[in-house]
């Protein structure tokens, strides 16, 4: 049985190290690809994104470059929305879809206004005040000091120009709810029980829309269960990967 490559798409405003526990857990048994998105981390080019679909186009180009014809695609938060954009763009390459702590709907006018206002703030003030403010929503207040330090460090290391550009691109992204009803591959929907950004109700709605999906709610976690509860997250992801491998 061939182990299908795993592609991990990070959220905002993070970088590929968000997936460190998963890279460490799965790299011995399969190819794991965890890029920094355009404008984030050490990504080349460092230029910020100008439209949301560009993230998906970049991932497709990376798969071409690495000669990866099929993969399991996993994304968390903004990364989950990018994974949906990837499925719209190149579904034939995706054997399984992992959507964690994300939602498929387009932004409401108020949601878009908030994103643009936040983008303006980041350009004006930088990342630190924002990072301080949202840290205990990204991870639960009871998360370990090590996890909090990692998440805060990723946020403050992100360039304000990149974070602002991504927020503006997200505000204009398309609605992917109808797309989910046409997904033909197995899907795993994951969410932290205490996630306030993308609550459990959003995950249940995605689970209901996807034709072949399973839902896992991680107790003791907020928006980043892969970091807050890595052992449990890896166990669930490992079972899902084994199922996709067997089908392929």
């Amino acid at each position: 049985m061939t182990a299908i490559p795993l592609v991990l798409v990070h959220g905002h405003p993070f970088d590929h190290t968000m997936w460190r526990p998963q890279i460490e857990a799965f790299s011995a048994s399969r190819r794991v690809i965890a890029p920094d998105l355009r404008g984030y981390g050490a990504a080349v080019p460092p230029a910020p994104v100008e439209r949301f679909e560009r993230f998906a186009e970049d991932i497709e180009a990376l798969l071409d470059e690495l000669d990866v014809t099929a993969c399991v695609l996993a994304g968390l938060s903004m990364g989950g929305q990018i994974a949906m954009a990837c499925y719209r763009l190149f579904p034939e390459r995706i054997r399984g879809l992992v959507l964690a702590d994300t939602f498929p709907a387009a932004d409401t006018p108020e949601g878009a206004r908030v994103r643009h206002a936040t983008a303006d703030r980041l350009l004006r003030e930088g990342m630190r005040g924002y990072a301080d403010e949202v840290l205990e929503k990204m991870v639960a207040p009871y998360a370990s000091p090590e996890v909090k330090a990692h998440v805060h460090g990723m946020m403050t290391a992100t360039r304000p120009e990149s974070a602002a550009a991504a927020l503006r691109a997200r505000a204009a992204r398309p609605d992917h709810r109808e797309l989910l009803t046409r997904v033909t591959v197995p899907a795993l929907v994951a969410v932290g029980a205490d996630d306030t950004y993308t609550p459990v109700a959003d995950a249940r709605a995605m689970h209901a829309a996807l034709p072949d999906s399973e839902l896992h709610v991680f107790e003791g976690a907020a928006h980043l269960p892969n970091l807050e509860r890595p052992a449990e997250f890896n166990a669930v992801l490992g079972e899902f990967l084994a199922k996709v491998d067997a089908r392929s």
Side-chain angles (χ1 to χ4, degrees):
M1 186 168 64
T2 302
I4 297 171
L6 172 63
V7 179
L8 300 166
V9 187
H10 68 76
H12 162 91
F14 308 128
D15 58 49
H16 81 278
T17 67
M18 189 202 91
W19 294 109
R20 189 179 293 149
Q22 290 68 51
I23 296 167
E24 292 173 354
F26 296 105
S27 288
S29 58
R30 72 183 62 239
R31 189 175 190 183
V32 178
I33 300 159
D36 284 329
L37 295 170
R38 176 180 291 258
Y40 290 84
V44 178
V49 75
E50 73 286 352
R51 53 190 175 82
F52 195 73
E53 293 75 14
R54 176 53 70 91
F55 285 129
E57 293 165 0
D58 285 348
I59 291 172
E60 184 177 33
L62 178 63
L63 296 180
D64 288 343
E65 182 183 327
L66 298 177
D67 197 26
V68 174
T69 57
C71 66
V72 173
L73 184 63
L76 185 146
S77 191
M78 181 179 80
Q81 293 168 340
I82 294 168
M84 294 179 232
C86 288
Y87 192 85
R88 185 185 292 279
L89 185 63
F90 51 92
E92 70 285 349
R93 297 172 89 151
I94 298 171
R95 298 289 180 271
L97 198 57
V98 181
L99 301 174
D101 300 82
T102 190
F103 68 98
D107 276 358
T108 63
E110 173 61 14
R113 187 195 67 75
V114 170
R115 288 202 202 276
H116 283 286
T118 304
D120 292 341
R121 175 192 173 184
L122 296 181
L123 292 173
R124 189 172 61 247
E125 301 176 9
M127 296 298 293
R128 182 163 294 276
Y130 170 81
D132 292 346
E133 193 175 291
V134 303
L135 177 61
E136 292 192 346
K137 288 181 71 180
M138 293 294 187
V139 295
Y142 49 78
S144 75
E146 294 79 11
V147 167
K148 286 184 179 180
H150 180 193
V151 172
H152 192 270
M154 286 190 292
M155 289 194 284
T156 54
T158 296
R159 293 180 285 276
E161 298 80 9
S162 297
L167 286 166
R168 298 194 202 284
R170 284 178 86 186
R173 74 185 185 283
D175 194 304
H176 284 128
R177 285 176 291 185
E178 192 273 334
L179 175 75
L180 293 187
T181 68
R182 295 187 280 109
V183 170
T184 60
V185 297
L188 168 63
V189 179
V191 67
D194 295 333
D195 191 345
T196 56
Y197 283 122
T198 53
V200 173
D202 288 354
R204 293 195 191 284
M206 287 194 298
H207 172 49
L210 287 156
D212 178 10
S213 69
E214 53 190 271
L215 170 66
H216 286 271
V217 180
F218 293 91
E219 299 298 329
H223 195 55
L224 294 166
N226 71 300
L227 281 173
E228 297 171 87
R229 289 290 178 266
E232 295 97 313
F233 190 94
N234 288 350
V236 170
L237 179 56
E239 288 182 9
F240 178 74
L241 291 171
K243 182 174 83 171
V244 176
D245 288 345
R247 286 197 185 186
S248 299

